[in-house]
Amino acid sequence: MKKGLVFGLIGGALGLLYLWSKKSSVTNMIDKLTITPRLGGSLKLDAGSTTTSNKIGKFLQKVVNYVTDSAYVVVPIDVDFANRSSQEMKISVQSVMAYIGEAMVASSVPAVSSVVVKANAVSTLEGIKMQIGTRTLLSIFGTNIQDWLTKGNFDNITKDLKIKIGAILNDAFTFDIMLDLGKSGQVDTTGAVTISGLGLTAASKRTIRPLSDYISLIPEKTNLRHHDYIVKANGSVVDTANIMHQAASADVESVRRLAQSLQRDTLTATLQSIFDFVYTHIQYELDSRFTEQVRRPLRALYDQKGDCDCFATLIGSMLEALNIPYKFRIAAYSAGRFQHVYVIVPTTDNVRGYYVVDPVLDKCFDEKPTTKFLDV
């Protein structure tokens, strides 16, 4: 028994040494990677569709679209990756987010997301389209609407725009970097490089908006029960499915006012609104390797963190508060075991027959292809 323990300790030490050396190697590579986000063309205003041929009617419709979610400014972004090392790099971009000040104003997942940069060379990821809602821009800049509609002058947007890129290097290491548009920079390797584990995890740590955004819409913290639902040691998402439904139902009243504030005129707009709220206010954080925890929705709202089952439980509770039917989808990927859970909303509006709401990913309605799944 002692011999087995010794071999186990040696094996563990060797494993840690291997991971450390691997991390050191990629850190050295990242030190020689320079990233530059830049404009890939001119900005364009999409003022939304109009239903009238009358000139005055068209103008008024544009004005209406402009102060709602129907119009946006398209910002084309290219990203240059300069590799000054002697080794080829593969960079897979998971997310691109646009910020003005502290506010995230747009997010995108590139259609072509991977780029291979040869040693001592520069490669460019092109064609990233950032769509910034004009209502968002008006709330930030207070720009005269007549100027925006007639002159299309968006210089103040590009002057203040910051681009945050979340990516994976060589299919093994995640990092993120925030840069001013047109400025070059390098990844801060102090705590920025992490080993990707099994399962589906968020591409990068997010900049989370404050609790003050919604605290007036949820019960006081004194109403919070000081416990979480905890599944048995080494629990999987399969073990948590039933209590996730219990947790979601138990907190419906706690999230009702918040859910109502996120409700929009259509189902897709409501789902997008809920996705955006969770994505920007709840940090993705893995549970302990040995204990799977399901935070009750009110707990997640106060903690402002959680993993995929916490995200799904919170979203499920808000959908229940709005009388929107949903299911939890438990998914398996290349490893063949169930390892992720997210919300689907049945619909007849698309060929899939459902909408996906999974804020672990960077875009609402996206779904990572599965090898098998179970809907509960």
Side-chain angles (χ1 to χ4, degrees), residues 355-375:
Y355 293 115
V356 174
V357 188
D358 182 8
V360 173
L361 303 179
D362 291 310
K363 190 176 180 182
C364 191
F365 311 125
D366 275 2
E367 184 177 30
K368 181 174 179 175
T370 64
T371 55
K372 62 179 178 179
F373 62 85
L374 175 66
D375 293 341

Side-chain angles (χ1 to χ4, degrees), residues 50-58:
T50 57
T51 57
T52 177
S53 58
N54 180 279
K55 287 185 178 179
I56 296 177
K58 279 186 176 181

Side-chain angles (χ1 to χ4, degrees), residues 164-356:
K164 184 176 182 180
I165 301 164
I168 302 175
L169 175 62
N170 291 351
D171 295 323
F173 298 89
T174 63
F175 67 89
D176 60 77
I177 184 171
M178 176 95 79
L179 294 165
D180 291 336
L181 188 65
K183 299 287 183 66
S184 299
Q186 292 174 266
V187 175
D188 178 6
T189 55
T190 306
V193 183
T194 56
I195 299 171
S196 295
L198 293 175
L200 186 60
T201 60
S204 59
K205 191 168 184 178
R206 301 164 182 172
T207 301
I208 296 302
R209 291 184 56 82
L211 179 66
S212 57
D213 279 3
Y214 58 88
I215 195 168
S216 64
L217 297 172
I218 61 176
E220 294 181 2
K221 201 168 185 177
T222 52
N223 291 277
L224 188 62
R225 296 177 188 171
H226 297 286
H227 71 275
D228 294 317
Y229 290 89
I230 300 179
V231 182
K232 64 182 181 180
N234 299 305
S236 70
V237 288
V238 175
D239 299 315
T240 70
N242 289 330
I243 61 168
M244 285 173 62
H245 276 294
Q246 294 172 20
S249 296
D251 262 23
V252 167
E253 291 306 316
S254 296
V255 303
R256 189 178 297 281
R257 289 179 62 214
L258 174 61
Q260 289 171 343
S261 75
L262 298 172
Q263 190 169 23
R264 301 292 183 263
D265 293 338
T266 65
L267 175 60
T268 53
T270 297
L271 297 180
Q272 180 73 63
S273 176
I274 291 173
F275 173 94
D276 291 342
F277 172 83
V278 176
Y279 188 96
T280 57
H281 290 92
I282 312 296
Q283 185 68 266
Y284 182 89
E285 184 173 296
L286 279 171
D287 283 336
S288 161
R289 178 182 173 188
F290 302 106
T291 305
E292 183 70 42
Q293 296 184 2
V294 178
R295 285 178 173 82
R296 295 173 67 246
L298 190 58
R299 166 72 67 183
L301 289 169
Y302 272 105
D303 287 354
Q304 288 198 272
K305 63 182 180 181
D307 64 358
C308 60
D309 47 62
C310 301
F311 280 10
T313 304
L314 172 58
I315 292 167
S317 190
M318 288 195 283
L319 292 176
E320 197 166 327
L322 298 175
N323 296 315
I324 297 174
Y326 70 94
K327 292 182 179 181
F328 293 131
R329 171 160 292 183
I330 304 170
Y333 303 101
S334 56
R337 62 182 178 85
F338 289 122
Q339 59 197 104
H340 184 50
V341 61
Y342 50 93
V343 168
I344 64 167
V345 176
T347 182
T348 57
D349 293 344
N350 61 43
V351 293
R352 287 198 301 194
Y354 59 89
Y355 293 115
V356 174

